[in-house]
Amino acid sequence: MIIDFPNMPATVVKHFKGGEKEYVVKTFLDEQNRIMHGTLHPGASIGMHMHERNSETYYILSGTGHIVMNDGTEEDFTVGQMHYCPMGKGHTLINKGESDLVFIAIVSEHHD
């Protein structure tokens, strides 16, 4: 299956999950996964959120991301690197850079 992000309409979400500014996102969704092509402009963020019944992976296409985990751990990651937030943990994604942060995010649902 091809997910054709270049030809999908984008949604602009202001203060996503309590974050700063706006999140520009193109989303593919089925019963098991949410796969997103996201953009955070400089100074924008996705607010702190928990993954109670799913996990999330970010893969950076351009720019640099800054992660803060709910346990206080902080890390930067850049093009070609991934961040993984396992089920039961929380995180926020921040663009502290001077260029757009463009990434793929995959949220996978976990079932009993």
Side-chain angles (χ1 to χ4, degrees), residues 11-65:
T11 301
V12 177
V13 183
K14 294 184 180 197
H15 308 290
F16 186 64
K17 307 242 182 222
E20 297 295 320
K21 297 187 178 185
E22 59 188 32
Y23 174 41
V24 181
V25 62
K26 298 176 180 185
T27 304
F28 168 83
L29 178 65
D30 68 14
E31 293 179 5
Q32 301 297 318
N33 297 285
R34 173 172 284 151
I35 303 171
M36 297 160 282
H37 181 279
T39 301
L40 292 174
H41 300 301
S45 66
I46 294 172
M48 179 64 71
H49 59 283
M50 296 297 295
H51 288 277
E52 300 292 342
R53 298 194 46 81
N54 55 37
S55 58
E56 185 167 30
T57 303
Y58 294 133
Y59 179 78
I60 301 297
L61 299 172
S62 67
T64 299

Side-chain angles (χ1 to χ4, degrees), residues 66-81:
H66 182 77
I67 292 289
V68 179
M69 298 294 293
N70 66 317
D71 65 3
T73 302
E74 296 190 31
E75 56 190 2
D76 291 322
F77 65 126
T78 191
V79 175
Q81 294 181 320

Side-chain angles (χ1 to χ4, degrees), residues 21 40-44 95-101:
K21 297 187 178 185
L40 292 174
H41 300 301
N95 182 356
K96 290 185 174 181
E98 295 181 13
S99 61
D100 286 349
L101 170 59

